Amino acid sequence: MNDYAGAEKWVPHDGGMRKVRAVLGDCRGCDLWEDAEQAVAGEGPVRARMMLVGETPGDHEDKEGHVFVGPAGHLLDKALVAAGIERSEIYLTNAVKHFRFEREGKRRIHKTPSAGQIVACAPWLRRELEIVKPELVVVMGAVAARTLLGPSFRVTQHRGERVELADGRAAVATVHPSAVVRSQEFRRDFDRFVKDLRGAAALLD
Ligand code: URA
Ligand code: SF4
């Protein structure tokens, strides 16, 4: 595992989300900034009651500079609608802010960030949590779970359950929408994903 400086040095602790967004792109906390087009900041109201955390920007997000605008984002949009959740009312972000990929000819193939890169980037997500103070965090997939619930947490064993982050904040873990996109049993896995989201929203009522 590579040792990285980590993002802490670049994370502003004064000012709000505007400041975070302004300086995120300066981060050199790990090596992922080198090949990516840009850092992709979280989006949504800073007073959102619910925060959804994914993995990293993908190819589309890296080019466009917005979270969840590619295939995983389209699936997430459909699932949110089915679960009765307004995308415009939630805060949507990633555990790691720069895209990691390998080149295959002209294509850029997503690669899961390493444990070291996940740890290095965590201060940005911590700062977003401090600013937004969501009542509930939806943890989507293993990378977000590693950051927020620790390396021994297993999404498959605990998906849909109410769990707690280290700071006591309520959370629900589920799969990453890209796992649903790739699923061989799409209908079943889409419905399960929607059920987890609906269950999470119900915790806020
Ligand atoms: N997958 C993620 O985890 N985040 C995005 O923004 C896009 C795809
Ligand atoms: Fe900084 Fe995170 Fe980008 Fe690494 S992935 S350079 S820690 S913002």
Side-chain angles (χ1 to χ4, degrees), residues 23 91 125 134 138 160 178-179 183 198:
V23 299
Y91 186 88
L125 181 60
V138 177
S178 63
S183 169
R198 200 181 286 129

Side-chain angles (χ1 to χ4, degrees), residues 40 54-58 61 66-70 72-73 93-94 176-178:
V40 182
E55 183 190 292
T56 68
E61 291 78 15
H66 295 288
V67 285
F68 286 103
V69 290
T93 192
N94 287 306
H176 192 282
S178 63

Side-chain angles (χ1 to χ4, degrees), residues 4-8 10 23-34 36 38-40 56-57 95-100 113 116-124:
Y4 298 110
E8 191 52 52
W10 285 271
V23 299
L24 176 64
D26 299 338
C27 183
R28 302 290 181 259
C30 75
D31 58 343
L32 288 180
W33 65 274
E34 293 175 24
Q38 58 191 314
V40 182
T56 68
V96 173
K97 311 304 188 193
H98 276 104
F99 181 34
R100 186 184 194 201
Q117 290 160 340
I118 297 168
V119 169
C121 208
W124 289 110

